[in-house]
């Protein structure tokens, strides 16, 4: 539930900042950046690093995951200043994700078989790779990070109408944009470190929330998105464990089956690109 709420909130933040309903941690390559840096940590054979920890040692994994997400986020943000088309920006994000996946593929090809097996399971998205203590750590970090958004509702509402509107209302656009991107990247990085890259939750749930509430108030949208995201991921987890006896279906399979139709519906409903 913490993972679902956090990814949904991160997706909503990115969609408001980029003013693009197809923006999200997975679509813009942020999850891919986090996953790549985790692959560098866990699969590379660099003998120079003194930090060669086992896969489930979470402290350094969280750090690498957040740094990877931040690098990709600020890269996409820099590109967005030069590209006005939301569609082109989305395609750039997808290409960045492909580059990250290609580098990750090289690391997987040259990795130790035991490390590779663990990482493949991780890359499919799983809510079972963390123990109870680690789940409590994820919950604590998520609650603290999401709580900080209470102080950013007003700038988030202003950002919905663009940079000029926010500046005219007296908000420091650069500062608040940095805070919001940092929160989105931390949420994505931490959840990726604990659960693997989970597709479509951060992209589809904010869209679904807007369809349900029919309001532009971002405070209400955040609450709605977090509730819907937590509920969806909980249901997907229950189904993944119960659908086939003695087999756990990768969580990404189910979230894609739910999220992809929502995104397709948006493509048909949208009249401006």
């Amino acid at each position: 539930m913490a993972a679902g709420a956090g990814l949904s909130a991160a997706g909503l933040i990115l969609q408001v900042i980029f003013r693009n309903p197809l923006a999200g941690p997975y679509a813009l390559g942020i999850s891919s950046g986090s996953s790549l840096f985790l692959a560098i940590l866990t699969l590379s054979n660099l003998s120079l690093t003194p930090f060669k920890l086992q896969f489930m040692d979470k402290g350094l994994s969280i750090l690498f995951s957040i740094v990877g997400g931040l690098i990709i986020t600020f890269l996409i943000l820099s590109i967005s200043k030069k590209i006005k088309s939301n569609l082109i920006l989305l395609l750039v994000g997808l290409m960045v994700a492909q580059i990250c996946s290609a580098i990750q593929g090289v690391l997987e090809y040259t990795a130790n078989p035991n490390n590779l097996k663990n990482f493949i399971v991780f890359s499919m998205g799983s809510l079972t790779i963390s123990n109870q203590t680690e789940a409590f750590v994820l919950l604590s970090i998520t609650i603290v990070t999401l709580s900080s958004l209470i102080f950013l509702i007003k700038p988030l509402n202003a950002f919905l109408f663009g940079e000029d509107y926010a500046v005219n209302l007296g908000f420091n656009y650069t500062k608040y944009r940095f805070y919001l991107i940092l929160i989105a990247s931390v949420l994505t990085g931490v959840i990726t470190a604990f659960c693997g890259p989970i597709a479509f939750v951060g992209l589809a749930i904010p869209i679904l929330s807007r369809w349900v509430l029919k309001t532009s108030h971002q405070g209400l949208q955040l609450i709605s998105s977090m509730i819907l995201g937590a509920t969806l991921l909980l249901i997907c987890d229950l189904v993944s464990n119960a659908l086939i006896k003695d087999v756990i279906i990768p969580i990404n399979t189910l979230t894609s089956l739910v999220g992809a139709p929502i995104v397709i519906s948006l493509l048909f409903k949208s009249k401006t690109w």
Side-chain angles (χ1 to χ4, degrees), residues 27-29 76 88-102:
L28 287 174
I76 297 297
I88 294 177
L89 182 62
L90 178 64
L91 292 175
V92 170
L94 292 174
M95 293 304 101
V96 171
Q98 287 299 313
I99 293 172
C100 291
S101 297

Side-chain angles (χ1 to χ4, degrees), residues 150-162:
I150 296 174
F151 305 100
L152 297 171
I153 297 299
K154 288 184 178 180
L156 199 60
N157 278 319
F159 283 15
L160 192 63
F161 300 99

Side-chain angles (χ1 to χ4, degrees), residues 70-245:
L70 278 173
I71 289 175
I72 299 301
T73 302
F74 283 107
L75 174 62
I76 297 297
L77 190 61
S78 299
I79 295 173
S80 69
K81 295 179 180 179
K82 301 180 180 180
I83 297 176
K84 295 183 179 181
S85 171
N86 287 336
L87 181 57
I88 294 177
L89 182 62
L90 178 64
L91 292 175
V92 170
L94 292 174
M95 293 304 101
V96 171
Q98 287 299 313
I99 293 172
C100 291
S101 297
I103 299 173
Q104 182 177 315
V106 173
L107 293 173
E108 291 175 355
Y109 186 78
T110 58
N112 177 282
N114 292 329
N115 291 340
L116 179 60
K117 180 180 178 181
N118 289 333
F119 190 79
I120 291 298
V121 173
F122 160 84
S123 64
M124 292 180 178
S126 175
L127 303 180
T128 62
I129 59 177
S130 296
N131 57 38
Q132 187 173 1
T133 301
E134 292 166 345
F136 178 77
V137 173
L138 172 60
L139 177 62
S140 302
I141 295 174
T142 304
I143 289 175
V144 171
T145 308
L146 290 176
S147 298
S148 65
L149 288 173
I150 296 174
F151 305 100
L152 297 171
I153 297 299
K154 288 184 178 180
L156 199 60
N157 278 319
F159 283 15
L160 192 63
F161 300 99
E163 179 178 354
D164 292 338
Y165 184 85
V167 171
N168 288 333
L169 288 179
F171 292 106
N172 186 325
Y173 183 81
T174 303
K175 181 178 74 172
Y176 284 111
R177 183 180 62 179
F178 173 79
Y179 290 156
L180 289 166
I181 288 177
L182 180 62
I183 289 173
S185 298
V186 167
L187 285 170
T188 302
V190 170
I191 293 169
T192 301
F194 281 93
C195 307
I198 298 177
F200 281 105
V201 174
L203 174 61
I205 293 301
I207 297 173
L208 181 62
S209 175
R210 283 191 287 272
W211 287 355
V212 171
L213 286 190
K214 309 288 186 184
T215 178
S216 60
H217 191 287
Q218 296 309 296
L220 296 176
Q221 287 294 343
L222 272 172
I223 295 173
S224 174
S225 295
M226 287 188 287
I227 293 174
L228 289 173
T231 303
L232 172 67
L233 206 54
L234 178 60
I235 292 173
C236 288
D237 182 48
L238 294 173
V239 173
S240 71
N241 285 274
L243 194 60
I244 302 177
K245 186 178 180 181

